């Protein structure tokens, strides 16, 4: 899943990006409000982490612009301004969550995952099917009979995206936008997605990921897996 981090503290921004990448997220970073306002409107991000004290345009102004434009992307405000009045102002501007600085990185990651589940209307945590659980910490599939199957970084991002979208068809273009960095041009190819889907089917069974011809893929969480 793709996260946009908007933070003018370059060191903190890099730290957040590094931690989120370790958790299997694709992360874009910007350091000023004007660039953030434009980038988010591409519509490819799943969550925004937004600092308020930005150069060029402050975070609240950016957030209000997004909401007026109908951009409903889940947004977590980061701010050293922690009074209840300022938190209310942030929520009323359209924020979905508010985290004061300083903060624990683990809490930020947990809040991002919670926002993702809500935005995809997936209430179950952790992500699971009738046969296995997706271990996001180990980036592995944990079968309910005790077996564990390791996933590559790309397989993990792909499976998490499919599981969050369970029951809905997702296109190859959507998957490319949500599991790869913009600069991974050698990976940004429909054939690469097909290869990773094939490899995932070998690990979780062929019945869970259904190909919808000329449309995309459908994850069926209650399908009976046949492990090869």
């Amino acid at each position: 899943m793709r996260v946009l981090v908007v933070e003018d503290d370059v060191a903190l921004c890099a730290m957040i990006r590094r931690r989120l990448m370790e958790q299997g997220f694709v992360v874009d970073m910007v350091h000023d409000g004007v660039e953030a306002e434009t980038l988010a409107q591409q519509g490819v991000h799943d969550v925004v982490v937004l600092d308020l004290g930005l150069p060029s345009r402050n975070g609240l102004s950016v957030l209000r612009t997004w909401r007026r434009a109908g951009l409903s992307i889940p947004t977590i405000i980061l701010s050293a301004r922690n009074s209840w009045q300022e938190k209310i102002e942030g929520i009323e501007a359209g924020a979905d969550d508010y985290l004061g600085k300083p903060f624990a990185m683990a809490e930020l990651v947990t809040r991002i995952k919670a926002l993702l589940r809500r935005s995809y209307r997936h209430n179950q945590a952790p992500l699971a099917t009738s046969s296995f659980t997706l271990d996001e910490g180990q980036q592995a599939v944990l079968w309910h009979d005790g077996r564990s199957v390791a996933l590559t970084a790309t397989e993990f991002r792909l499976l998490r995206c499919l599981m969050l979208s369970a029951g809905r068809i997702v296109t190859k273009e959507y998957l490319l936008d949500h599991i790869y960095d913009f600069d991974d041009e050698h990976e940004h190819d429909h054939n690469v997605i097909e290869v990773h889907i094939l490899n995932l089917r070998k690990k979780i069974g062929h019945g869970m990921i259904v190909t919808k011809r000329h449309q995309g893929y459908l994850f069926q969480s209650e399908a009976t897996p046949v492990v090869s």
Side-chain angles (χ1 to χ4, degrees):
M1 311 310 291
R2 193 174 212 98
V3 179
L4 174 61
V5 180
V6 188
E7 169 62 64
D8 67 331
D9 183 329
V10 176
L12 176 59
C13 197
M15 188 184 305
I16 293 172
R17 182 175 188 266
R18 183 166 59 251
R19 181 60 179 272
L20 291 180
M21 289 179 67
E22 290 172 355
Q23 294 291 315
F25 292 99
V26 177
V27 184
D28 300 311
M29 302 186 302
V30 293
H31 306 300
D32 72 83
V34 172
E35 187 176 1
E37 192 173 290
T38 302
L39 184 58
Q41 293 187 26
Q42 293 183 15
V44 298
H45 296 95
D46 297 287
V47 175
V48 175
V49 178
L50 178 66
D51 182 35
L52 293 185
L54 299 170
S56 304
R57 187 167 301 164
N58 69 66
L60 282 182
S61 176
V62 171
L63 181 57
R64 289 185 179 113
T65 298
W66 289 340
R67 297 309 188 233
R68 284 196 298 269
L71 189 66
S72 59
I73 180 171
T75 301
I76 301 175
I77 284 179
L78 291 183
S79 179
R81 292 177 272 174
N82 290 323
S83 72
W84 65 266
Q85 295 98 329
E86 286 159 332
K87 290 180 180 180
I88 288 174
E89 185 179 20
I91 298 299
E92 288 182 340
D96 300 276
D97 202 350
Y98 196 111
L99 186 58
K101 297 178 180 178
F103 59 90
M105 203 66 70
E107 182 177 3
L108 175 60
V109 172
T110 298
R111 287 172 182 255
I112 288 173
K113 290 178 179 178
L115 275 185
L116 276 173
R117 290 194 301 272
R118 289 203 296 271
S119 68
Y120 279 84
R121 295 179 175 83
H122 198 297
N123 298 321
Q124 186 173 1
L127 293 172
T129 72
S130 58
S131 304
F132 68 79
T133 297
L134 182 64
D135 186 329
E136 297 189 50
Q138 298 297 318
Q139 299 190 10
V141 167
L142 302 181
W143 293 93
H144 295 170
D145 63 7
R147 291 176 295 134
S148 176
V149 178
L151 302 171
T152 67
T154 302
E155 288 169 356
F156 169 71
R157 293 195 298 268
L158 179 57
L159 182 55
R160 179 167 58 185
C161 190
L162 288 169
M163 291 181 74
L164 282 167
S165 304
R168 294 184 286 121
I169 297 173
V170 290
T171 65
K172 290 179 180 179
E173 289 79 6
Y174 180 90
L175 293 172
L176 287 169
D177 283 338
H178 287 76
I179 68 172
Y180 289 121
D181 286 326
F182 288 136
D183 56 1
D184 284 344
E185 294 182 4
H186 64 291
E187 293 279 15
H188 224 76
D189 183 276
H190 286 194
N191 294 329
V192 174
I193 289 290
E194 293 174 6
V195 170
H196 290 305
I197 290 288
L198 177 62
N199 291 335
L200 267 181
R201 283 173 170 151
K202 291 177 181 177
K203 294 183 176 182
I204 69 170
H206 297 275
M208 288 192 169
I209 305 174
V210 178
T211 299
K212 295 295 184 179
R213 189 171 178 82
H214 304 308
Q215 297 179 70
Y217 298 100
L218 175 68
F219 186 83
Q220 300 183 132
S221 60
E222 298 306 315
T224 302
V226 180
V227 180
S228 52

PDB file of all heavy atoms in Angstrom, residues 25-41:
ATOM      1  N   PHE A  25       5.390  -1.004   3.180  1.00  0.00           N
ATOM      2  CA  PHE A  25       4.683   0.073   2.495  1.00  0.00           C
ATOM      3  C   PHE A  25       5.565   0.697   1.417  1.00  0.00           C
ATOM      4  O   PHE A  25       6.794   0.741   1.547  1.00  0.00           O
ATOM      5  CB  PHE A  25       4.270   1.165   3.486  1.00  0.00           C
ATOM      6  CG  PHE A  25       3.211   0.742   4.459  1.00  0.00           C
ATOM      7  CD1 PHE A  25       3.553   0.340   5.747  1.00  0.00           C
ATOM      8  CD2 PHE A  25       1.878   0.715   4.092  1.00  0.00           C
ATOM      9  CE1 PHE A  25       2.588  -0.068   6.654  1.00  0.00           C
ATOM     10  CE2 PHE A  25       0.898   0.313   4.991  1.00  0.00           C
ATOM     11  CZ  PHE A  25       1.254  -0.082   6.278  1.00  0.00           C
ATOM     12  N   VAL A  26       4.933   1.176   0.372  1.00  0.00           N
ATOM     13  CA  VAL A  26       5.597   2.041  -0.588  1.00  0.00           C
ATOM     14  C   VAL A  26       5.405   3.466  -0.087  1.00  0.00           C
ATOM     15  O   VAL A  26       4.287   3.849   0.262  1.00  0.00           O
ATOM     16  CB  VAL A  26       4.998   1.881  -2.001  1.00  0.00           C
ATOM     17  CG1 VAL A  26       5.662   2.844  -2.981  1.00  0.00           C
ATOM     18  CG2 VAL A  26       5.144   0.441  -2.481  1.00  0.00           C
ATOM     19  N   VAL A  27       6.476   4.253  -0.047  1.00  0.00           N
ATOM     20  CA  VAL A  27       6.406   5.564   0.601  1.00  0.00           C
ATOM     21  C   VAL A  27       6.949   6.655  -0.318  1.00  0.00           C
ATOM     22  O   VAL A  27       8.056   6.552  -0.844  1.00  0.00           O
ATOM     23  CB  VAL A  27       7.209   5.582   1.923  1.00  0.00           C
ATOM     24  CG1 VAL A  27       7.041   6.928   2.627  1.00  0.00           C
ATOM     25  CG2 VAL A  27       6.763   4.450   2.840  1.00  0.00           C
ATOM     26  N   ASP A  28       6.149   7.706  -0.502  1.00  0.00           N
ATOM     27  CA  ASP A  28       6.592   8.918  -1.193  1.00  0.00           C
ATOM     28  C   ASP A  28       6.750  10.021  -0.154  1.00  0.00           C
ATOM     29  O   ASP A  28       5.946  10.113   0.783  1.00  0.00           O
ATOM     30  CB  ASP A  28       5.568   9.341  -2.254  1.00  0.00           C
ATOM     31  CG  ASP A  28       5.346   8.263  -3.304  1.00  0.00           C
ATOM     32  OD1 ASP A  28       6.353   7.758  -3.829  1.00  0.00           O
ATOM     33  OD2 ASP A  28       4.184   7.919  -3.581  1.00  0.00           O
ATOM     34  N   MET A  29       7.761  10.860  -0.330  1.00  0.00           N
ATOM     35  CA  MET A  29       8.021  11.946   0.615  1.00  0.00           C
ATOM     36  C   MET A  29       8.000  13.289  -0.099  1.00  0.00           C
ATOM     37  O   MET A  29       8.529  13.422  -1.203  1.00  0.00           O
ATOM     38  CB  MET A  29       9.405  11.787   1.274  1.00  0.00           C
ATOM     39  CG  MET A  29       9.650  10.510   2.022  1.00  0.00           C
ATOM     40  SD  MET A  29      11.260  10.556   2.893  1.00  0.00           S
ATOM     41  CE  MET A  29      12.399  10.855   1.529  1.00  0.00           C
ATOM     42  N   VAL A  30       7.400  14.287   0.546  1.00  0.00           N
ATOM     43  CA  VAL A  30       7.508  15.673   0.105  1.00  0.00           C
ATOM     44  C   VAL A  30       7.687  16.533   1.345  1.00  0.00           C
ATOM     45  O   VAL A  30       7.300  16.135   2.453  1.00  0.00           O
ATOM     46  CB  VAL A  30       6.281  16.145  -0.707  1.00  0.00           C
ATOM     47  CG1 VAL A  30       6.188  15.417  -2.028  1.00  0.00           C
ATOM     48  CG2 VAL A  30       5.001  15.948   0.075  1.00  0.00           C
ATOM     49  N   HIS A  31       8.268  17.725   1.147  1.00  0.00           N
ATOM     50  CA  HIS A  31       8.636  18.550   2.291  1.00  0.00           C
ATOM     51  C   HIS A  31       7.955  19.917   2.317  1.00  0.00           C
ATOM     52  O   HIS A  31       8.260  20.733   3.177  1.00  0.00           O
ATOM     53  CB  HIS A  31      10.157  18.738   2.318  1.00  0.00           C
ATOM     54  CG  HIS A  31      10.922  17.446   2.278  1.00  0.00           C
ATOM     55  ND1 HIS A  31      10.790  16.478   3.252  1.00  0.00           N
ATOM     56  CD2 HIS A  31      11.805  16.957   1.377  1.00  0.00           C
ATOM     57  CE1 HIS A  31      11.573  15.449   2.953  1.00  0.00           C
ATOM     58  NE2 HIS A  31      12.195  15.708   1.826  1.00  0.00           N
ATOM     59  N   ASP A  32       7.056  20.180   1.383  1.00  0.00           N
ATOM     60  CA  ASP A  32       6.331  21.453   1.423  1.00  0.00           C
ATOM     61  C   ASP A  32       4.886  21.250   0.998  1.00  0.00           C
ATOM     62  O   ASP A  32       4.540  20.269   0.332  1.00  0.00           O
ATOM     63  CB  ASP A  32       7.014  22.505   0.543  1.00  0.00           C
ATOM     64  CG  ASP A  32       6.851  22.228  -0.937  1.00  0.00           C
ATOM     65  OD1 ASP A  32       5.802  22.589  -1.504  1.00  0.00           O
ATOM     66  OD2 ASP A  32       7.771  21.647  -1.540  1.00  0.00           O
ATOM     67  N   GLY A  33       4.041  22.193   1.397  1.00  0.00           N
ATOM     68  CA  GLY A  33       2.612  22.052   1.206  1.00  0.00           C
ATOM     69  C   GLY A  33       2.148  22.090  -0.228  1.00  0.00           C
ATOM     70  O   GLY A  33       1.234  21.364  -0.613  1.00  0.00           O
ATOM     71  N   VAL A  34       2.772  22.918  -1.048  1.00  0.00           N
ATOM     72  CA  VAL A  34       2.342  23.058  -2.443  1.00  0.00           C
ATOM     73  C   VAL A  34       2.550  21.747  -3.199  1.00  0.00           C
ATOM     74  O   VAL A  34       1.666  21.277  -3.921  1.00  0.00           O
ATOM     75  CB  VAL A  34       3.100  24.211  -3.131  1.00  0.00           C
ATOM     76  CG1 VAL A  34       2.792  24.230  -4.621  1.00  0.00           C
ATOM     77  CG2 VAL A  34       2.716  25.553  -2.499  1.00  0.00           C
ATOM     78  N   GLU A  35       3.732  21.146  -3.031  1.00  0.00           N
ATOM     79  CA  GLU A  35       4.009  19.883  -3.711  1.00  0.00           C
ATOM     80  C   GLU A  35       3.083  18.778  -3.212  1.00  0.00           C
ATOM     81  O   GLU A  35       2.598  17.954  -3.987  1.00  0.00           O
ATOM     82  CB  GLU A  35       5.468  19.488  -3.502  1.00  0.00           C
ATOM     83  CG  GLU A  35       5.893  18.276  -4.325  1.00  0.00           C
ATOM     84  CD  GLU A  35       7.371  17.944  -4.174  1.00  0.00           C
ATOM     85  OE1 GLU A  35       8.069  18.648  -3.420  1.00  0.00           O
ATOM     86  OE2 GLU A  35       7.805  16.966  -4.810  1.00  0.00           O
ATOM     87  N   ALA A  36       2.827  18.764  -1.910  1.00  0.00           N
ATOM     88  CA  ALA A  36       1.940  17.752  -1.337  1.00  0.00           C
ATOM     89  C   ALA A  36       0.530  17.878  -1.904  1.00  0.00           C
ATOM     90  O   ALA A  36      -0.109  16.868  -2.231  1.00  0.00           O
ATOM     91  CB  ALA A  36       1.901  17.900   0.180  1.00  0.00           C
ATOM     92  N   GLU A  37       0.057  19.098  -2.011  1.00  0.00           N
ATOM     93  CA  GLU A  37      -1.294  19.335  -2.507  1.00  0.00           C
ATOM     94  C   GLU A  37      -1.470  18.750  -3.899  1.00  0.00           C
ATOM     95  O   GLU A  37      -2.490  18.145  -4.219  1.00  0.00           O
ATOM     96  CB  GLU A  37      -1.565  20.839  -2.526  1.00  0.00           C
ATOM     97  CG  GLU A  37      -3.007  21.218  -2.755  1.00  0.00           C
ATOM     98  CD  GLU A  37      -3.213  22.707  -2.581  1.00  0.00           C
ATOM     99  OE1 GLU A  37      -3.123  23.186  -1.431  1.00  0.00           O
ATOM    100  OE2 GLU A  37      -3.435  23.384  -3.595  1.00  0.00           O
ATOM    101  N   THR A  38      -0.440  18.909  -4.737  1.00  0.00           N
ATOM    102  CA  THR A  38      -0.496  18.413  -6.114  1.00  0.00           C
ATOM    103  C   THR A  38      -0.341  16.902  -6.181  1.00  0.00           C
ATOM    104  O   THR A  38      -1.102  16.215  -6.869  1.00  0.00           O
ATOM    105  CB  THR A  38       0.603  19.076  -6.962  1.00  0.00           C
ATOM    106  OG1 THR A  38       0.429  20.494  -6.933  1.00  0.00           O
ATOM    107  CG2 THR A  38       0.560  18.579  -8.397  1.00  0.00           C
ATOM    108  N   LEU A  39       0.632  16.370  -5.449  1.00  0.00           N
ATOM    109  CA  LEU A  39       0.939  14.946  -5.542  1.00  0.00           C
ATOM    110  C   LEU A  39      -0.228  14.083  -5.077  1.00  0.00           C
ATOM    111  O   LEU A  39      -0.556  13.072  -5.704  1.00  0.00           O
ATOM    112  CB  LEU A  39       2.196  14.632  -4.719  1.00  0.00           C
ATOM    113  CG  LEU A  39       2.718  13.190  -4.793  1.00  0.00           C
ATOM    114  CD1 LEU A  39       3.032  12.797  -6.236  1.00  0.00           C
ATOM    115  CD2 LEU A  39       3.964  13.027  -3.923  1.00  0.00           C
ATOM    116  N   ALA A  40      -0.874  14.463  -4.001  1.00  0.00           N
ATOM    117  CA  ALA A  40      -1.974  13.654  -3.468  1.00  0.00           C
ATOM    118  C   ALA A  40      -3.137  13.566  -4.442  1.00  0.00           C
ATOM    119  O   ALA A  40      -3.886  12.585  -4.439  1.00  0.00           O
ATOM    120  CB  ALA A  40      -2.438  14.219  -2.137  1.00  0.00           C
ATOM    121  N   GLN A  41      -3.284  14.581  -5.287  1.00  0.00           N
ATOM    122  CA  GLN A  41      -4.408  14.589  -6.210  1.00  0.00           C
ATOM    123  C   GLN A  41      -4.235  13.609  -7.361  1.00  0.00           C
ATOM    124  O   GLN A  41      -5.149  13.435  -8.176  1.00  0.00           O
ATOM    125  CB  GLN A  41      -4.641  16.015  -6.711  1.00  0.00           C
ATOM    126  CG  GLN A  41      -5.126  16.932  -5.597  1.00  0.00           C
ATOM    127  CD  GLN A  41      -5.537  18.314  -6.072  1.00  0.00           C
ATOM    128  OE1 GLN A  41      -5.924  18.495  -7.209  1.00  0.00           O
ATOM    129  NE2 GLN A  41      -5.446  19.281  -5.189  1.00  0.00           N
TER     130      GLN A  41
END
